[in-house]
Amino acid sequence: MTAGQGAPVALLGGTFDPVHYGHLRPAIELLEGLGLSELRLVPGHVPPHRPQPRLDAAMRCALLETAAADIPGLVVDRRELMRSGPSYTVDTLAGLRRELGPDRPLCFVMGSDAFRGLMQWHRWRELIGEAHLVVTTRGGDTAPMPEALAEWLAARRARHPGELRNAPAGRVWFHPVSRLEISATAIRGLLARGFSVQGLTPDTVWQRLAATGLYGYPQASRATGPGRLHPHYD
């Protein structure tokens, strides 16, 4: 591959079950901090290394598109939903690389926990040939990485984010993002008990979750009606 051409495109995968501000705020910080042309949110169809999502792919994607609609630079990419079987990142990156061409800088975003387990990923050594790896870090994250991974990283670690623009792939950049103590597991638990998740996810997403009871009891939304259902305690 030759020197990079144009602002980088980044890809952030996940189950988004459901999407919340813990996904969206770091995405915005990456867009601005790395000068990305766009950040593609890629909902996974069949994640190979974690429990299956509660919601089906179509609903998770619809909620994600609702959340991203008002944030310039965020794009929902449905490519993994079009494939059957497990969603392997190396296949997703190879497909996007073919579309972008050999010279466009491409970044794959992953959390620091995921990076520490990189050597267990399917065909992990091929990832760096398709894209840069952008590892998001949060305050207080001091867990060590495996020695073999640290040795692999040494020759590939970027010293400045500008290096992501100068080549289409091949570098690893650690980027700090805000630490938001929000999890999809906690949101599902609140909804299952009939409590509101307003403030944890965009109002457009919360209203739909509250009205339909996708993860548990329906709730009358303060934004859409005068009444509210009382939480259930069973």
Side-chain angles (χ1 to χ4, degrees):
M1 293 184 181
T2 59
Q5 296 180 356
V9 173
L11 181 154
L12 172 62
T15 54
F16 303 105
D17 188 31
V19 60
H20 53 74
Y21 284 126
H23 301 126
L24 298 174
R25 180 59 204 174
I28 293 169
E29 293 176 4
L30 288 165
L31 276 166
E32 296 179 344
L34 299 180
L36 303 175
S37 63
E38 64 182 25
L39 192 154
R40 299 191 179 198
L41 303 172
V42 184
H45 178 49
V46 182
H49 303 302
R50 59 188 302 176
Q52 299 306 298
R54 284 279 303 279
L55 292 188
D56 63 42
M59 180 55 70
R60 287 184 287 115
C61 191
L63 292 172
L64 188 58
E65 289 173 337
T66 296
D70 295 327
I71 304 177
L74 289 190
V75 178
V76 178
D77 188 322
R78 291 173 168 258
R79 70 183 60 237
E80 290 195 357
L81 304 184
M82 306 302 173
R83 296 201 304 259
S84 59
S87 300
Y88 290 116
T89 297
V90 66
D91 297 326
T92 300
L93 290 176
L96 186 53
R97 170 57 68 196
R98 287 191 294 270
E99 295 174 16
L100 296 176
D103 300 329
R104 186 69 178 273
L106 175 61
C107 302
F108 174 66
V109 179
M110 62 195 312
S112 55
D113 285 346
F115 181 73
R116 284 191 286 271
L118 182 66
M119 299 177 75
Q120 280 70 56
W121 286 40
H122 180 65
R123 292 161 52 198
W124 71 274
R125 293 182 183 276
E126 298 177 33
L127 298 175
I128 200 75
E130 303 289 353
H132 302 295
L133 303 185
V134 174
V135 182
T136 57
T137 61
R138 296 170 171 84
D141 182 7
T142 59
M145 68 179 68
E147 182 178 350
L149 181 61
E151 293 175 357
W152 176 88
L153 171 64
R156 298 167 176 84
R157 186 165 186 168
R159 297 178 179 272
H160 187 274
E163 293 182 40
L164 305 181
R165 291 174 170 268
N166 297 332
R171 308 297 287 168
V172 181
W173 171 249
F174 289 79
H175 193 85
V177 296
S178 296
R179 188 179 189 92
L180 301 179
E181 299 295 343
I182 304 173
S183 75
T185 300
I187 288 174
R188 293 194 300 268
L190 287 169
L191 290 168
R193 289 179 288 149
F195 289 101
S196 172
V197 296
Q198 187 176 23
L200 300 177
T201 191
D203 274 354
T204 50
V205 174
W206 164 66
Q207 289 165 7
R208 190 164 183 179
L209 293 174
T212 57
L214 288 172
Y215 292 100
Y217 298 108
Q219 307 161 45
S221 164
R222 288 192 299 272
T224 57
R228 296 182 63 195
L229 298 182
H230 294 290
H232 294 253
Y233 295 97
D234 56 357

